[in-house]
Amino acid sequence: MGHGIAEVCAISGLPVIIEDAFPEALKKAEVSIKSSLDRMKKSGKIDDTAYSSVLSRISFSSSLKEAVRDADLIIEAVPEIPDLKISVIKDITSSCRPDVIVASNTSNIRISTLADHATNPQRVLGLHFFNPPVVMKLVEVIKSDKTSQEYFDSAFEFAKFIGKTPIKVLKDSPGFVVNRINAPESLLFCLILDKGMARPEDVDAFAKGQGLPMGPYELMDYVGIDTVVHSLEYYSETLDREYGKCHYFKKFMEEGKLGLKSGKGFYVWENGHAKIPEAKPSSVLELLDILAVEINEAVKIIEEGVAAPSDIETGVKLGMNRPFGPISVAESLTNAEIKRKLLALSQKFDTKIFYPAKSIEDGKLREIISGKALKHTEETAQPASDAKAADGDEVVRLERDEQTKVARLILKNTRNNLINQKVLESLEKYLKQLWNDHEINVIVIRGEGDNFSAGAQLTQFFSGPMDFSENARLGERTFRLLSEIPKITIAEMKGFVLGGGFELSIWCDIRVATPEATIGFPETTLGLIPGWGGSQRLSKLVGMSRASYLILTGDRFTGKYASDIGLVYKLFEKTNIASETDRLAADLASRIAPVSAAMAKKLIYKGSEMGTDNGLEMESVAMGLLYGTDDLKEGISAFLQKRKPDYKGR
Ligand SMILES: NC(=O)c1ccc[n+]([C@@H]2O[C@H](COP(=O)([O-])OP(=O)(O)OC[C@H]3O[C@@H](n4cnc5c(N)ncnc54)[C@H](O)[C@@H]3O)[C@@H](O)[C@H]2O)c1
C-alpha cells in the first residue's frame, strides 16, 4: 500500500520519500512503481517525459527520522499490528515538525488508539486508501475524537488534490465505513459453510448471476482468508462478540489455505485466477438477503454518527466497485420488506448481528437514510440522492458559452459514459435549467473521451418489474425533453453509440457522427427492447422497414451507414469532430431565429403524430404567432440591410 500511495502522490506532482525499515522492501517498492508506470505508458496514459518526472519525484530512505524531518504530510502504512503502529506513530511524531498531518492507512485500528501515543494528537487522523491505490478512487478520511477540524479539513483537501474521492468518517469506529458494511456479510458467508448449507462455488455462481462482479468466496480468496479472519476477530473484540461465531474460515487459515497468496483457499489459484469448479447457483440466499444485511449495517453507521448517508453510498460504490450502494437500494425498498428479511436471517443463522437496527425496527428507515432523523452534525444531515455530488462523482457536465449561444451537455459517467438514473436526473435538471435560458440557442450532447455512450448501466439495482418500468419511463420522459425544448439539439456520435446511448441521439434534432462510430440497438440480443423511446422513434426517422431490421437483428452499423440512410446529417473525422460540431452549433445559433426553431420543432414532431389537416392548421396558427415576434422583424430588416441578425428569442 505504501508504494502505491507514494506513486499516486508523485503522479499528482508531489515530491515523496518512501521510508521502509527493510532495504529489500524499498527495492521491491521501486520495481512495483516502475512496472505500474510501464503499464500506464503502454496504455497511453502517460508519455516518456511524464514517466521520468514521476520517478524523479520519488526518493527512498531507510531512516525514519530523516524521511519525516521536512515532510508536510506523513502517511504510515506499516503492517496492521497495533503495537508496531503505535511505536511508528510515536517515532514519527517525535521527529517531524509539530504542525504536520500524521495519517495512518490502517484498515481497522482506531485512530484514537494511535493518537494517544503521539505528540500533538490533534493532527493524527486516518487516510484509508483502497487497494490498489493507483486505481481505486476512494479514500476514507477518518477523524478521531482528538483530531482537530482544521487538520481533518486539510487532509480531505489533500485527498481531493491527489485525484481521489474522499468521504468523511466522523468517528473512528471499527472498520470505518466500507469494511464495516462488509463485516456482517463476511460472517454470513462463514456461517453458511459452518452450517453446511451450500458450497462456495454455488453461492458464487448465484452472486455473479445477480450482477456482482465477483462471488463472495472468490473475493475473500483474493483478499486473503487470514485477513478476513483477523478482521472478524477484531470485530468480535470491538463491535459484537458474535463475530467470533465463525469457525470454518479459522480452520482454513490454520491449514494454511489463505487463498490467492498461498495458491489455495476456497479455490485453487493459478496465474492470478481462481479455478472455480462447475457450479449450480445456490438458493440458500436471495440477493435481497445480502442487500438487507448491508442496509442494516449502513443504518447502524448512520445511527452512530459515523458517516452521512451520501458518504456511505459513495464509499460502497467506489470501495467495492459496485454500481449502487446500500442507501440507493434502501430507497427502492420498504421498511417492512427489509425488517422481515433481517428477522428471518437473524433466526435462520441464530445471530443478533442480523437483527434489524433500531431505526428499521421502529419503522424509521426513510427518515434515517434521508439524514433527517439525526441530531448529530450538519454533515450527517445530508441525504444520498440530493447530496451535492462529490468532485469526480459528476455524471453530466454543463458548459454554457454565452458568446456563441451554445451549451454543451457532456456525459461523463464511467469510461463508456453509461446512462443510469443519476445521469437521467442530471440531464433532466440541466435541460429544465436551459429551457428558458435566452442566452442559449443550441445544445450539443457530447460524450467525454472516445465514446458518445455505450448505453444503459445494466447493473443498476431494480427491486422489481414496476421499478424497471418506471426507470424506462424516466428515460423516455428525459429524452423527450430534447425534442420538446425550444432550442436546436445536436447529438455528436462517436465511438460507441449503443442501446440507450443510441436512443439519446435519436431524440435530438440533428445528428453528426464519425464515419467509424459503432451504432446499434443490442437490446433484443439481451432479452430487452429499446426502452427509452427507441422502439417508437427510430421508425419515424428511417422508416419502418429499416427500423425493424436494426431493432430485430441487434446488428451494429457505422456512422458512415447512418449517414447513407439519412439518420446522420454530417460526418466529421474523429480528430476534429468536437471542433466541427461546435462550429456547426455556433453557426446555427447565430443564424437561426430561436422562435422559428422552437415552432418548427413542434410542427415537425407533433405533426408527425397527427393527420395532415390538423398539422396544416397548426402550421398556419404558428405562422400567425410568428408574425408579431421581434425575431421576425429583426430577420427581415437584417436581410434587407445585408447584415447578421441579432435575434432575441422573442
Ligand atoms: N493490503 C490491502 O489491501 C490494504 C488496503 C487498505 C489498507 N491497508 C492497510 O495498509 C497497511 C499496510 O498494509 P500492506 O498490505 O501494504 O502491508 P505490507 O506488509 O505489504 O507492507 C508493510 C510494509 O511496512 C514495512 N515495515 C514494517 N515495519 C516497519 C517499520 N517499523 N518502519 C517502516 N516500515 C516498516 C514492511 O517492510 C513492508 O514493506 C496496513 O495497515 C493495512 O491494514 C491494506
Side-chain angles (χ1 to χ4, degrees), residues 275-287:
K275 287 175 69 183
I276 302 178
E278 206 168 304
K280 207 168 92 215
S282 164
S283 55
V284 69
L285 287 177
E286 290 176 7
L287 180 62

Side-chain angles (χ1 to χ4, degrees), residues 1-3 5 19-26 28-29 64 76-81 84-85 87-88 91 104-109 127-133 179 223 227:
M1 288 300 290
H3 67 71
I5 298 168
E19 188 276 336
D20 199 292
F22 301 91
E24 60 279 17
L26 290 176
K28 247 176 93 183
L64 181 73
E76 76 73 23
V78 298
E80 190 81 352
I81 304 166
L84 174 62
K85 291 234 186 242
S87 107
V88 166
D91 289 348
S104 172
N105 184 46
T106 176
S107 310
N108 283 315
I109 301 169
L127 276 173
H128 183 212
F129 289 76
F130 286 70
N131 198 7
N179 289 345
V223 170
T227 310

Side-chain angles (χ1 to χ4, degrees), residues 374-578:
L374 288 170
K375 49 191 177 314
H376 193 69
T377 64
E378 54 190 275
E379 279 129 315
T380 45
Q382 201 179 47
S385 48
D386 60 18
K388 194 169 165 291
D391 283 353
D393 217 16
E394 183 189 50
V395 289
V396 178
R397 186 171 72 247
L398 167 65
E399 289 177 359
R400 270 178 90 259
D401 183 350
E402 287 183 16
Q403 204 116 31
T404 58
K405 293 184 172 277
V406 173
R408 286 176 285 272
L409 286 173
I410 301 174
L411 308 174
K412 54 184 297 259
N413 180 39
T414 69
R415 200 157 53 93
N416 293 329
N417 300 323
L418 296 180
I419 301 171
N420 59 16
Q421 186 166 344
K422 199 162 163 198
V423 172
L424 293 174
E425 283 166 358
S426 299
L427 280 173
E428 185 178 15
K429 179 182 82 181
Y430 287 135
L431 287 170
K432 287 187 171 160
Q433 202 172 306
L434 290 167
W435 209 273
N436 291 319
D437 186 338
H438 292 298
E439 303 303 329
I440 297 299
N441 292 352
V442 177
I443 302 168
V444 172
I445 312 290
R446 172 173 292 160
E448 188 157 89
D450 296 334
N451 301 308
F452 179 68
S453 166
Q457 192 155 351
L458 295 174
T459 46
Q460 221 181 318
F461 179 77
F462 297 104
S463 64
M466 276 314 288
D467 205 12
F468 197 47
S469 165
E470 282 308 311
N471 179 268
R473 287 184 42 182
L474 172 67
E476 287 160 9
R477 228 173 34 232
T478 309
F479 288 180
R480 204 182 185 131
L481 297 176
L482 289 160
S483 65
E484 290 179 348
I485 192 167
K487 321 264 171 203
I488 300 174
T489 53
I490 304 177
E492 183 185 279
M493 301 160 80
K494 60 182 178 183
F496 290 130
V497 188
L498 297 172
F502 183 23
E503 289 180 295
L504 172 58
S505 76
I506 59 177
W507 280 101
C508 290
D509 305 318
I510 295 173
R511 280 154 294 282
V512 298
T514 59
E516 65 280 0
T518 306
I519 309 169
F521 274 146
E523 281 86 345
T524 48
T525 66
L526 298 167
L528 288 167
I529 50 161
W532 285 338
S535 72
Q536 301 304 300
R537 190 147 165 101
L538 186 62
S539 60
K540 295 224 162 71
L541 297 179
V542 298
M544 212 182 277
S545 167
R546 276 200 182 102
S548 307
Y549 182 82
L550 295 176
I551 292 172
L552 294 176
T553 60
D555 278 1
R556 293 177 176 200
F557 55 98
T558 61
K560 164 82 176 57
Y561 176 79
S563 162
D564 291 345
I565 62 171
L567 184 63
V568 155
Y569 161 71
K570 245 185 182 158
L571 291 175
F572 295 130
E573 288 312 313
K574 196 171 156 187
T575 45
N576 60 9
I577 185 165

